[in-house]
Amino acid sequence: MSYFVELVDQRLITLITPARRAWLQSPRTLLLGFVGLHLLFLFALLPTILTGRVLGDLPLYRVWAEQALTTNVWQGIDVEWVYPIGALVPIVLADVAGPLLYQLLWFLMTLALNALAVGVLTGWGRNRAGYKAAWFWLAISLVLSPVGLLRLEGLSAPLVIMGLVLLARRPVIASALLTIATWIKVWPAAVMLAVVAASRRRVSVVLTGAAVSTAIAGAVWAAGGIRFLTGFVTMQSDRALQLEAPVTTPWVWLAAIGHHGTTIYQNHAIATREVTGPGTTFAASAMTPLMFLVMAAIFVLLVVALRRSRDHAQLVLMGALALVSTFVVLNKVGSPQYMLWIAPVVAVGVAHDWARWRVPAYLMLVIGALTTLIFPVFYLPLVHGDAGALLLLTLRNALLVVLLGWSVLALWHTARVGSTASVSVRRHADARGLATN
């Protein structure tokens, strides 16, 4: 791993000269990059917008919004729902101008939140250390655009970025953002867990999170839907192994080689591909307890590391990366948008300490590229057992395991020897011209 990191670093030193680095750290250049990228997105979506159609998961979102606004059937209030109740807000908001403009309004919401995330990362142009993180976020947004522009993660991920950046100086706002993100898609709960374990602002975070959650629960109770408030948990518990989940990879290979009794099938109820075969039922039932067991162990490791590390922000970010990666790697459900669970934490890590976070940054860019090749490019060949598509999936899932291992080892090292190692790494990078000024 270190050999490849050094190789990439050497290439970057050659490519990004001091003059080019100064150009990239210009507010005007970053603004042009942001506007150019989102104009590219708009151009790609323009045929869909002009014809009043929607892509990705948005057709289902639009159906839910239309049911709410025209027939008064609200998901999560009148019926059980697969998402936390907060997801209803952006889903319905995108339909306020009518179903024909749904794709456009969803894009505008994504653009606005991305703009806020980039602004907060860079201190609205004043924090030079945030420019590298902002460019990383733009790059990963491009690489994962097929899911980032068309699913709820495109909205929750920028909220997590803002929450993590604002944690030290605006803990109440940060906690509110992270709590709202959790009520849109549940994965930011792993980030909140890291904050509770390692942040000096944990009391403010817990109290604010409790207040926001109580307000949301109160609104749902007033609307008559309190019995469905936690329905998204029970609806997920009965799912089988999903095609793209790391744990499913051995059975995907068995299905590809024609192993008797192992098949890839369409679950029409939730519109996803799942895998069945010898041992899949046991694996599906065991993964959730195993995932929570590992997350509990990481939480304990964070508490131990807290006694030795003086860099609380670094510890929160490392813990968040380990917990969110566990959420992805040990999940029986696996979807391409899950990479947008990990990327926001890495983006804020890059802003905090490039030298320490360059490994997960490089890994995340490769993982993102492989994910987009798997879905949507080679998804149908994968379903039909194509060897090339299977190799892409296997490599992507292996790199996710590497990322999880790297984050846990970094936490373990901090728990044993404290934060002095990060200081030496930063000095080494500064000497080679890699660390952000």
Side-chain angles (χ1 to χ4, degrees), residues 413-428:
H413 186 72
T414 302
R416 289 187 61 194
V417 302
S419 58
T420 55
S422 65
V423 175
S424 63
V425 171
R426 190 183 299 112
R427 286 174 178 170
H428 174 66

Side-chain angles (χ1 to χ4, degrees), residues 105-316:
L105 264 66
W106 192 271
F107 168 73
L108 291 176
M109 287 192 297
T110 305
L111 182 150
L113 287 174
N114 270 342
L116 289 172
V118 169
V120 171
L121 272 173
T122 60
W124 302 101
R126 296 185 298 272
N127 178 19
R128 293 175 65 86
Y131 277 80
K132 194 169 291 186
W135 284 112
F136 169 82
W137 180 244
L138 292 182
I140 206 71
S141 297
L142 173 62
V143 170
L144 290 171
S145 55
V147 291
L149 293 172
L150 305 172
R151 303 195 184 188
L152 282 163
E153 277 76 8
L155 307 181
S156 60
L159 291 174
V160 170
I161 288 176
M162 289 185 279
L164 283 172
V165 173
L166 294 173
L167 183 61
R169 60 184 190 274
R170 296 285 188 273
V172 173
I173 295 175
S175 179
L177 290 171
L178 291 173
T179 305
I180 291 168
T182 302
W183 279 105
I184 293 175
K185 289 296 292 281
V186 72
W187 67 270
V191 177
M192 289 286 283
L193 187 61
V195 172
V196 171
S199 174
R200 290 175 293 184
R201 307 286 188 170
R202 66 172 63 86
V203 174
S204 297
V205 168
V206 170
L207 291 177
T208 304
V212 172
S213 296
T214 300
I216 291 171
V220 174
W221 175 79
I226 195 66
R227 66 191 184 281
F228 297 131
L229 184 64
T230 59
F232 63 95
V233 177
T234 56
M235 290 188 74
Q236 293 285 354
S237 63
D238 294 333
R239 295 182 66 170
L241 295 183
Q242 194 168 327
L243 174 64
E244 296 163 73
V247 68
T248 314
T249 306
W251 285 280
V252 180
W253 278 102
L254 288 175
I257 64 177
H259 182 269
H260 178 70
T262 306
T263 58
I264 300 170
Y265 65 95
Q266 174 77 18
N267 185 332
H268 294 282
I270 53 177
T272 190
R273 303 277 180 171
E274 296 178 345
V275 181
T276 184
T280 55
T281 301
F282 172 78
S285 63
M287 289 315 295
T288 299
L290 177 61
M291 178 178 69
F292 285 118
L293 182 63
V294 173
M295 291 178 76
I298 292 171
F299 183 87
V300 172
L301 191 59
L302 267 171
V303 172
V304 174
L306 185 61
R307 300 177 181 179
R308 295 181 176 272
S309 175
R310 293 187 297 272
D311 192 345
H312 290 255
Q314 174 77 356
L315 200 55
V316 168

